[in-house]
Amino acid sequence: MVVLIKRYRSIVPAVLLFSAFLSGAHASKRGAKSALPLPAAEGALEAPSPADIEQNEFLTRISGIALNIVSFPKQTVKHVPFTSAYTLLVKDAEEKEVSGMPITVSYPASRTDDSIVYDEIVLTTDENGRIEFMPEVPTSSFNAVVTFYPTPVNSNPETVKAARAASVTAPYKVRTDLAKKSGILYVFDFDENGRALTNSRYILRDFINSGVRSGNSPIPSPNYLNQSIASLYKATRAIVGNSAGFMVSGSVKFAAPSERKDDGTYACTLVADIVCIDMQNGAVLYKTRQTASETGTSQYLAVEACRKKIASQTVQAILYGM
């Protein structure tokens, strides 16, 4: 519920002084009269400004409104258009369609690694209380949402907050187009002592289960983790040539040693630092840092559960971020 608060302010008019003057050089004192100041008008209401009126009308109008997602498109692939539009229906408190209402649509437009930039467009509901939003062909990958909300009439925090409270969202999913190409994995698991083990078998498994043709890097040594991406790319390219579309490089390390909790279980937290590389030119396509925590009845089980969890997070981040 939106509570409207009317603000009143008393106005005291300036005291008006009237003096009567008699003509001539000498006026009778009894004939000369001066008007006393008029009493101030108390409780007078200040007329609301047009901006206040507009804001109150807006808050009243959206107080019982309901925005409903009628339909939204399935996920697409980067550089491939969505197959259908987003459809929104707006009804009032009496379940009647609301026509002529401006609706702001906020949607993902671009990204730099895990930082997403959103664009906005304002559409107006038709006579049936509907709007349709058809996104442009996506040039980036996303696993995000489109947000719809009544367009605020001003930037007043109260107005914006009320408009946002009426918002609804729908999925906006764009998978990387590189998923249809084969990938190379160069991501090493580390133990609690900071020693590199082997390529993450869980990340490799999740890539394959996601339908991506992937294999371990032909370079078995983790030495390139301490060198430049350009060096890793050059060495790998010399071996595999044009056979792969991208490479995933990085590490999965302990954020802190796993510990035994008061209830007897063990807790583990891992951090994955990942870089995705275009195998055609060596360009960095995407960077991400993923963190995951899990518990288990033993130290081993806690670590294994955490490795599986962070692998799933990492693969999903890559498929919808690269």
Side-chain angles (χ1 to χ4, degrees):
M1 178 184 296
V2 177
V3 179
L4 304 181
I5 302 175
K6 296 184 178 179
R7 298 176 175 84
Y8 298 97
R9 187 173 63 191
S10 296
I11 301 176
V12 180
V15 177
L16 304 178
L17 300 177
F18 297 93
S19 299
F21 298 93
L22 296 177
S23 62
H26 303 284
S28 168
K29 290 182 179 181
R30 285 181 296 177
K33 298 181 180 179
S34 297
L36 295 175
L38 295 175
E42 296 185 2
L45 300 180
E46 179 185 12
S49 68
D52 289 338
I53 294 175
E54 183 182 45
Q55 176 173 322
N56 285 337
E57 288 178 346
F58 173 77
L59 295 177
T60 300
R61 189 180 189 193
I62 70 171
S63 62
I65 209 169
L67 278 62
N68 300 286
I69 303 293
V70 176
S71 62
F72 58 87
K74 296 179 181 178
Q75 76 170 17
T76 187
V77 176
K78 187 167 64 171
H79 303 304
V80 176
F82 285 97
T83 56
S84 63
Y86 292 80
T87 303
L88 180 78
L89 173 63
V90 182
K91 290 186 177 182
D92 61 19
E94 298 178 351
E95 290 293 311
K96 295 180 179 179
E97 292 82 4
V98 179
S99 63
M101 171 166 279
I103 300 293
T104 296
V105 185
S106 175
Y107 60 96
S110 63
R111 71 183 303 150
T112 301
D113 298 328
D114 286 330
S115 177
I116 299 176
V117 175
Y118 288 78
D119 276 353
E120 291 186 344
I121 185 174
V122 176
L123 303 175
T124 303
T125 56
D126 62 17
E127 65 275 9
N128 298 313
R130 296 182 178 232
I131 64 167
E132 285 197 350
F133 168 63
M134 186 67 187
E136 297 179 355
V137 178
T139 56
S140 299
S141 304
F142 302 102
N143 185 4
V145 296
V146 178
T147 303
F148 302 86
Y149 61 93
T151 303
V153 293
N154 56 41
S155 58
N156 186 305
E158 179 187 6
T159 310
V160 175
K161 182 179 180 181
R164 288 285 188 175
S167 68
V168 292
T169 62
Y172 188 96
K173 301 187 72 171
V174 182
R175 203 173 193 233
T176 178
D177 55 349
L178 291 175
K180 60 187 177 183
K181 300 181 179 181
S182 61
I184 299 174
L185 189 68
Y186 186 80
V187 180
F188 282 81
D189 283 329
F190 280 68
D191 65 17
E192 288 188 275
N193 297 316
R195 293 176 300 193
L197 302 174
T198 59
N199 255 329
S200 171
R201 66 183 187 278
Y202 292 128
I203 291 180
L204 180 61
R205 182 197 65 181
D206 282 1
F207 264 122
I208 294 172
N209 289 344
S210 298
V212 181
R213 289 180 291 118
S214 302
N216 285 324
S217 167
I219 301 175
S221 168
N223 292 340
Y224 280 97
L225 292 178
N226 298 320
Q227 299 184 35
S228 67
I229 292 297
S231 297
L232 173 63
Y233 167 71
K234 184 178 179 179
T236 307
R237 173 85 176 189
I239 299 173
V240 302
N242 294 320
S243 63
F246 66 94
M247 177 166 57
V248 179
S249 172
S251 61
V252 179
K253 297 181 178 181
F254 283 80
S258 54
E259 59 180 1
R260 189 174 187 273
K261 301 170 65 176
D262 292 339
D263 61 1
T265 62
Y266 287 81
C268 174
T269 299
L270 297 173
V271 177
D273 286 299
I274 301 296
V275 179
C276 298
I277 307 157
D278 190 332
M279 285 304 295
Q280 301 307 306
N281 53 26
V284 173
L285 300 167
Y286 173 62
K287 292 188 292 185
T288 186
R289 166 172 276 205
Q290 298 291 318
T291 302
S293 297
E294 270 295 350
T295 59
T297 55
S298 70
Q299 185 178 20
Y300 171 80
L301 291 176
V303 172
E304 285 298 290
C306 200
R307 290 199 189 281
K308 292 177 182 178
K309 184 175 183 179
I310 202 166
S312 177
Q313 284 183 203
T314 299
V315 170
Q316 287 301 302
I318 293 170
L319 292 178
Y320 292 95
M322 182 171 63

